[in-house]
Amino acid sequence: MDVFILALGWLGIFAPTALGAIGSIIGCARAGQAACGAMLDVDGGYGRFVGLSALPSSQMIYGIVVMFSLNREVTVTSAPALFAIGVLAGLALMFSAIYQGACCASAINSSKSKPEIFGLSAAPAAIVEGFAVFAFVFALVLSGGIPS
Amino acid sequence: MIGGRSYYTLIASLPALPTRFDVDRCPITWPRLEDRLRLLEPEDHAMLSQLIDFLAWDRQPLERTDAEMIARYDTLMKKITHPVIRGLVDDWINLRTIVSALRRRRLGEGSPPGIGCWTDTIRRWWSQPQFGLQTRFPWIEELDRLMASNSTRQAERLILSVHWSKWSREASEHHFSFEAVLLYVARWSLVHRWTSQNAVAGRERFENTLSKVLENHVQLAN
């Protein structure tokens, strides 16, 4: 039983990085595909489409930082907390990256024919980013109080 | 959003359709649209072809009989399995059946041999002004009035606007999916139909003007 609990602890440490990476992969791929499509339809402003499509990569970075904050000696006492904080923070980061990718794709699709709405169309993606930041910050705060 | 096949590149590569179908210019030509649609997966492309086949079916030569048209329609419908395509086809056929019924009654003919789910209702309520369908389709009264006054262009505009409103509403629920592609093509076909009519009208006007000018020229020469 102890081994299983310890395994969960290790899972919790790496979960933010792995889940954040999965989310960033999907989010950036979707937004990137939309950016490529938009380039076929317009004659300029390609840079900002590619720039916007990279927005969901931040979740990966947050995941790495949370992983380092959780990285410590895994004991039967600390493992449950590591698992809970790591997995839940990872899931939050993963879903925020996936849906932020969808927001970025929509922003690219809308702003290609109406460049004047580019900033405003990126606002939903920024709001989604805000939720990822909340999950990230409070994971860091809670990681400081994990019993050793 | 997470499951299902997505077409981010394809949808983003298509120019935005106008907010209304009755514009002067189609945002993308058929050859170019056809070229972009090659980005679809082969199975989805085959399914889209069913919609395109239907749109081709809809433009029948005048000499074709009702029985031939119905037979071709039945053959086509057996192949169509996608619910969104069936919905689009049903919308189109139901409206055509209603138009046909209004026209036949005006000409003093019997109820149409029609196809679609409203044929029986139309037969049953043949003596009613709007076949008892006015609650379901509130635009029938206006369509009947426009057809009575021979305002064919306004009637065509009304018919296309009925489809445009419904399909635009549906399109707002689909983003970057195969359904979004289907609804784009369906709505594009409405814009294309309207702008093609403009081209025909423009050519007619041009030919009339040209023949008048030539007539004047001949009179002056004599």
Side-chain angles (χ1 to χ4, degrees), chain A residues 30 33-34 37 40-41 105 109 112, chain B residues 1 8-9 12-15 36:
Chain A
R30 286 179 173 176
Q33 284 175 316
L40 287 174
D41 190 40
N109 193 33
K112 74 177 164 79
Chain B
M1 183 59 89
Y8 286 88
T9 306
S13 74
L14 299 171
R36 297 275 160 86

Side-chain angles (χ1 to χ4, degrees), chain A residues 91-108:
Chain A
L91 285 172
L93 293 176
M94 183 179 79
F95 281 111
S96 73
I98 292 171
Y99 284 96
Q100 191 179 48
C103 289
C104 291
S106 294
I108 290 165

Side-chain angles (χ1 to χ4, degrees), chain A residues 77-128:
Chain A
T77 319
S78 65
L82 291 173
F83 175 76
I85 295 170
V87 169
L88 290 176
L91 285 172
L93 293 176
M94 183 179 79
F95 281 111
S96 73
I98 292 171
Y99 284 96
Q100 191 179 48
C103 289
C104 291
S106 294
I108 290 165
N109 193 33
S110 320
S111 62
K112 74 177 164 79
S113 47
K114 277 180 96 175
E116 67 273 18
I117 61 160
F118 180 76
L120 205 57
S121 66
I127 292 167
V128 174

